[in-house]
Amino acid sequence: MSATPSGTPTGTPTETPTGPRPEPIRFFGTTWVDHTDGYLLRRVGAAAGSLAAAVAACLVLRFAYQGLQLADTGSFVPLLVVVMFAVCSALAFRGTWESFTRRPDPDRQSSLRGLLTIGFVGSLVAYFFRSLIEAPGEKLHRQEYEESRRRHEKRTNRRTGNPSKKRRRS
């Protein structure tokens, strides 16, 4: 049996499962549900990739800082740039880390988009640390999926028979 890029197995029986389906996670598809099809390898790859991207981003920021020093802008501008990137990275880390456990408010996200873009290193570091624990966002997706399955089970267990054939009480 092979797997599609989204992580769902192919070659399974044509029987369509009833109820809610798990929402795929980027890089993991739906393998987070039962930790199959190279889930651990994907987690290791996601952690290594995000760490490598964070290191590369820090090198690029270092080159930018050296460019400011070569431009001889004084000591205030480089200090301001370092503080700006540090604060934005801390805010991006916090926002990304929280988005793994609860859905972010879309209005707040859109208002902070520029700030979070500047602090992209913080987002990459948060993704790295979360990949060491689980697939980033797995906890949130698992809670939502189990809740929707529980509601579906509750709804389907309550229904028995064809409601149109029930006798009416007089």
Side-chain angles (χ1 to χ4, degrees):
M1 199 178 335
S2 62
T4 61
S6 67
T8 56
T10 59
T12 56
T14 57
E15 182 181 312
T16 305
T18 60
R21 295 178 185 219
E23 185 179 342
I25 297 176
R26 182 182 298 150
F27 306 125
F28 294 91
T30 56
T31 61
W32 61 268
V33 176
D34 52 4
H35 296 181
T36 57
D37 293 331
Y39 170 80
L40 184 61
L41 194 59
R42 290 177 189 210
R43 267 189 42 209
V44 169
S50 60
L51 184 61
V55 168
C58 287
L59 287 174
V60 169
L61 291 176
R62 179 185 164 114
F63 291 140
Y65 181 78
Q66 287 176 342
L68 286 174
Q69 286 181 329
L70 288 174
D72 197 27
T73 57
S75 61
F76 180 70
V77 174
L79 178 68
L80 189 64
V81 168
V82 168
V83 169
M84 176 195 63
F85 273 105
V87 169
C88 291
S89 290
L91 290 173
F93 179 91
R94 182 174 164 251
T96 304
W97 190 263
E98 287 178 353
S99 73
F100 294 142
T101 55
R102 62 186 161 108
R103 296 276 179 191
D105 178 30
D107 294 333
R108 184 172 185 266
Q109 284 295 105
S110 66
S111 67
L112 294 176
R113 183 171 294 137
L115 190 94
L116 298 177
T117 302
I118 294 170
F120 64 99
V121 175
S123 293
L124 291 169
V125 172
Y127 203 85
F128 166 72
F129 283 125
R130 196 55 161 197
S131 295
L132 296 177
I133 300 169
E134 65 180 8
E138 179 180 343
K139 182 178 181 181
L140 173 66
H141 283 75
R142 188 169 303 282
Q143 287 172 345
E144 291 174 348
Y145 177 60
E146 288 175 357
E147 175 66 22
S148 62
R149 286 192 54 94
R150 187 186 60 74
R151 279 183 288 164
H152 176 74
E153 288 294 321
K154 189 176 180 181
R155 271 195 322 264
T156 56
N157 287 340
R158 204 173 11 180
R159 297 179 190 160
T160 55
N162 187 347
S164 66
K165 292 185 179 182
K166 283 189 175 182
R167 285 191 258 161
R168 305 276 177 176
R169 293 185 191 181
S170 321

